[in-house]
Amino acid sequence: MKLFNFTEDNKFNQLKKMMGAAESGDFTDFDPEHQLTYGERETLKNEGLQVMGQQLRILRDKTLALKNSRVWVQHESDIHIAGCPIVQNLRHQPALLMLSTAQPNKKQHICIECLTELKYLGIDQRRSRRLADQVDELFSMTQFQQDYPVLSPINKISPA
C-alpha cells in the first residue's frame, strides 16, 4: 500500500503557503497566552507570582485560576481559594495579586468565606460563627488539591 505524499499535492502546498508555513514540521499544541509556561508553574510553586487582578479567573466551580491552572490568592495573612466577596473586590483593584500553588505556611489562614462559597467540608459561615477558629484545623491544602487538582488541561477548566 502506497501512502499519499502531501508534499507533492498542489492544493496542500498552496494552503501551506497561505498559512505562512515554509516547511512541514512538528505541531506543538501550546499557547503561552492561555497555558502556564514552565517558569510560571515553578514560580507559582515556589515564591508565588504577582499578576494584575484582571488576569485571575473565577471558574464555574467557583475556584480560582490563572490561564489553565488553579491557583490561590495570598492576601495579607489569608489564603483565598474561591471567588469570595474579598477576591471579587481584589480582582477589580489596580493592584497586583500574589498567586500561588504552594502549601500555605502556619501563619496563613484559609478564608472561611471561600470555604462557604465552595460549600467545602460542609462549612457554612452563616450558620456557625465558631467555625472560624477551627477552620485551619479542619482544612487540608493537600486534600483540597486532590479534590480540585491544581494543574488541569484547559478544556477541563472553563470560566464561569
Side-chain angles (χ1 to χ4, degrees), residues 7 12 16 21-28:
T7 59
F12 174 75
K16 195 166 73 167
E23 299 283 328
S24 306
D26 296 331
F27 175 73
T28 304

Side-chain angles (χ1 to χ4, degrees), residues 33-50:
E33 291 290 318
H34 298 101
Q35 296 170 292
L36 291 178
T37 64
Y38 175 78
E40 289 169 328
R41 288 184 194 281
E42 287 299 304
T43 303
L44 282 166
K45 192 169 49 171
N46 296 317
E47 63 268 13
L49 183 66
Q50 288 189 329

Side-chain angles (χ1 to χ4, degrees), residues 92-106:
H92 295 44
Q93 301 298 321
L96 292 172
L97 297 178
M98 178 60 80
L99 306 183
S100 182
T101 59
Q103 291 292 324
N105 64 42
K106 298 292 181 196

Side-chain angles (χ1 to χ4, degrees), residues 80-96:
H80 295 274
I81 57 174
C84 74
I86 295 167
V87 170
Q88 295 281 4
N89 185 40
L90 289 172
R91 287 180 64 217
H92 295 44
Q93 301 298 321
L96 292 172

Side-chain angles (χ1 to χ4, degrees), residues 44-46 48-49 51 56-57 63-66 69-75 78-83 87 90 97-105 108-111 114 139-146 148-151:
L44 282 166
K45 192 169 49 171
N46 296 317
L49 183 66
V51 301
L56 183 67
R57 295 173 33 214
T63 59
L64 308 173
L66 175 65
S69 297
R70 283 192 180 87
V71 295
W72 38 95
V73 174
Q74 298 176 10
H75 179 66
D78 289 334
I79 299 293
H80 295 274
I81 57 174
V87 170
L90 289 172
L97 297 178
M98 178 60 80
L99 306 183
S100 182
T101 59
Q103 291 292 324
N105 64 42
Q108 297 171 315
H109 305 283
I110 195 72
C111 171
C114 288
F139 181 80
S140 163
M141 186 59 80
T142 304
Q143 183 61 48
F144 180 77
Q145 287 176 316
Q146 290 173 2
Y148 295 93
V150 173
L151 305 176

